[in-house]
Amino acid sequence: MKIARFSRIGFILAAAGSAVGLGNIWKFPYIAGESGGGAFVLIYLVTVLLIGFSILISEMLIGYMGRKDGVSSFESLAPKHKNIWKFAGFQSVTGLFIMTFYSVVIGWILHYIVTSTTSLPSSIQEAESTFTTMLYSDISTQLFYHTLVFLIITYILTKGIKGGIQRLNLLLMPTLMIIILGMFAYATTLDAFSQSLEFMFAPKWDKIDSGVFITAIGHAFFTLSLGMGAILTYSASMPKNSNLVQNAIWITLLDTVIAIIAGLMLFTFLYEYGSSPAKGPGLVFISLPTVFFEMGIIGNFFAILFFIALAFAGLTSAVSLVEPMIEYFIDRFKWSRLRASVSMGLFFYLFGIVALLSNTDAYKELLSFGSRNFFDWMDHIATSIMLPLAGLVMALFIGFAVEKQRVESIVKHQFGVVAFKVWYFSLRYITPVAMILLLLSLLEII
Ligand code: PHE
Ligand code: NA
């Protein structure tokens, strides 16, 4: 298939739209809160820098050089061993796993847009009980919004990746950032801000076990949209002579800064209202509306605006989660875009319903397996196993399967000689070793 080219800014917008999402504002604060803060955050930051950034460039390279879908690009770049490397394309499936819970969370956000028009919780206790009531017992509301999310996303997908959503995002991404920065500025004036800073940055090593490591590394992949074909697919449409290294620096910086600022702001509000960061998946829904309430009627306005912008951040990421599978079916099986979009949409819609129900009191028992419910299993399998596994495969692919001169000719002058050497070395040795250790520790072998 001939893939239409993005413009330079078009690529950055699409890639940043994919990276910046619920991972930054919903998930990062909640898992940092549950993992004890500082030490987790430090491991996360180091992983983003050492592993995430270098895999980001590798994944971009595979798309940029291969110019095809997530399976065919591997084949065409390693023609001698294409029957082995095509299995690297397994990663495109991960997006559907992620979508089963991601779509449910976007549904919560749509629900919060609507409730923000009329009422905001007057205390953190009220905010908490509103959220948990929805999560544990309000099946019909969640199903309604989940269905809406399915319809919206499937509609966007049928329009293709360069459709209107990226243009809308041009407006809504800055809106989200302005609101977050504004709320952050307000947070810095509160007494609780120093507490929040300490929680975020002072490492408490006694809180660290292998589970925290795995969560942090998995999240580094998740937040940068790595290891499931999204960046690869978008990079296949990157214009010629793009500076991959520069693009990767911008995306990594933007994504990381937004997560840290969102986390600091939300923790501050939680402390300020006598709560704590260990609030679970409801964190952003519990802490922010309480602050908006304090602002009076203008608070409703900001709450609506915030949740709309957040929904868009989630939607642009969601589109990128499903797009690799869609392109695969269009490329390989000559499906129409409509057919591919509806099929993938139905897939995440139906499994999403299972994820949704697995949180509720009524079905929790039925839909829990071992230590986790279905919702958390999907997150765990995708984020902690499949994304790092794909990272390992891509590091080996660029490090060993693609000829060095080809890689050099593209990124060496973008990196500079020394940085190129460090990057290449880390791809060949450091990243694979780290990922293998991680995967072994998941199997509880070490
Ligand atoms: N990076 C997105 C986020 O932080 C989630 C995502 C993961 C999107 C993987 C695409 C691929 O919300
Ligand atoms: Na992200």
Side-chain angles (χ1 to χ4, degrees), residues 17-25 27 95 98 102 219 221-231 255 313-314 316-318 320-322 387:
S18 168
V20 177
L22 308 185
N24 306 58
I25 293 149
K27 199 173 178 201
I98 296 177
Y102 212 83
H219 188 66
F221 280 86
F222 184 92
T223 193
L224 292 174
S225 298
L226 295 177
M228 49 67 56
I231 295 292
D255 187 83
T316 49
S317 300
S320 77
L321 280 161
V322 196
L387 299 185

Side-chain angles (χ1 to χ4, degrees), residues 346-359:
L346 280 174
F347 184 95
F348 78 70
Y349 177 60
L350 296 175
F351 282 97
I353 290 178
V354 180
L356 183 164
L357 292 176
S358 78
N359 283 325

Side-chain angles (χ1 to χ4, degrees), residues 71-384:
V71 178
S72 313
S73 287
F74 284 100
E75 288 176 337
S76 69
L77 290 174
K80 274 196 225 131
H81 303 286
K82 70 178 200 181
N83 286 329
I84 301 177
W85 282 110
K86 73 172 178 215
F87 290 107
F90 79 89
Q91 52 180 298
S92 297
V93 177
T94 312
L96 290 181
F97 277 68
I98 296 177
M99 273 307 281
T100 58
F101 63 94
Y102 212 83
S103 58
V104 173
V105 181
I106 299 177
W108 299 344
I109 297 169
L110 296 188
H111 175 51
Y112 270 74
I113 296 175
V114 174
T115 57
S116 299
T117 58
T118 52
S119 61
L120 290 168
S122 59
S123 70
I124 200 116
Q125 289 75 19
E126 190 188 330
E128 220 173 311
S129 79
T130 308
F131 180 79
T132 48
T133 305
M134 175 201 74
L135 183 69
Y136 297 139
S137 47
D138 196 348
I139 295 179
S140 53
T141 299
Q142 289 190 77
L143 273 183
F144 173 77
Y145 286 103
H146 181 62
T147 308
L148 201 58
V149 171
F150 156 69
L151 293 173
I152 295 172
I153 293 178
T154 308
Y155 175 76
I156 297 170
L157 286 168
T158 59
K159 298 268 151 199
I161 47 174
K162 292 177 81 179
I165 182 155
Q166 246 113 47
R167 253 166 285 140
L168 253 182
N169 208 30
L170 196 56
L171 199 73
L172 282 154
M173 191 118 99
T175 308
L176 182 66
M177 281 185 324
I178 290 168
I179 300 178
I180 290 179
L181 281 175
M183 300 297 286
F184 176 72
Y186 171 59
T188 60
T189 66
L190 301 174
D191 289 340
F193 185 66
S194 58
Q195 235 174 319
S196 168
L197 269 180
E198 193 191 320
F199 181 81
M200 182 75 89
F201 294 117
K204 292 166 279 302
W205 294 110
D206 52 314
K207 290 260 167 61
I208 288 299
D209 54 25
S210 71
V212 169
F213 253 97
I214 292 167
T215 311
I217 295 177
H219 188 66
F221 280 86
F222 184 92
T223 193
L224 292 174
S225 298
L226 295 177
M228 49 67 56
I231 295 292
L232 198 161
T233 303
Y234 284 172
S235 303
S237 312
M238 218 191 287
K240 279 242 158 15
N241 301 320
S242 291
N243 191 324
L244 278 64
V245 175
Q246 225 171 58
N247 286 349
I249 291 176
W250 277 115
I251 292 165
T252 308
L253 260 182
L254 182 73
D255 187 83
T256 309
V257 167
I258 292 181
I260 295 287
I261 286 186
L264 280 174
M265 149 186 111
L266 295 174
F267 295 160
T268 305
F269 295 144
L270 285 165
Y271 280 128
E272 185 73 17
Y273 294 108
S275 186
S276 76
K279 271 284 152 270
L283 193 148
V284 69
F285 301 98
I286 293 169
S287 49
L288 266 194
T290 317
V291 188
F292 288 131
F293 172 81
E294 306 258 296
M295 296 158 82
I297 184 78
I298 188 122
N300 287 78
F301 172 74
F302 280 124
I304 296 166
L305 205 59
F306 173 78
F307 284 116
I308 289 179
L310 186 57
F312 261 87
L315 285 175
T316 49
S317 300
V319 168
S320 77
L321 280 161
V322 196
E323 184 65 23
M325 281 306 277
I326 292 185
E327 267 173 47
Y328 176 70
F329 277 100
I330 294 177
D331 263 19
R332 287 284 175 122
F333 299 102
K334 307 293 171 233
W335 283 17
S336 67
R337 176 163 277 279
L338 182 69
R339 177 173 174 198
S341 307
V342 173
S343 311
M344 299 308 129
L346 280 174
F347 184 95
F348 78 70
Y349 177 60
L350 296 175
F351 282 97
I353 290 178
V354 180
L356 183 164
L357 292 176
S358 78
N359 283 325
T360 62
D361 288 332
Y363 294 95
K364 155 167 91 213
E365 217 129 296
L366 181 68
L367 299 171
S368 290
F369 311 94
S371 54
R372 294 183 175 87
N373 65 8
F374 186 79
F375 186 103
D376 291 335
W377 268 118
M378 287 295 109
D379 187 2
H380 180 71
I381 293 173
T383 311
S384 302

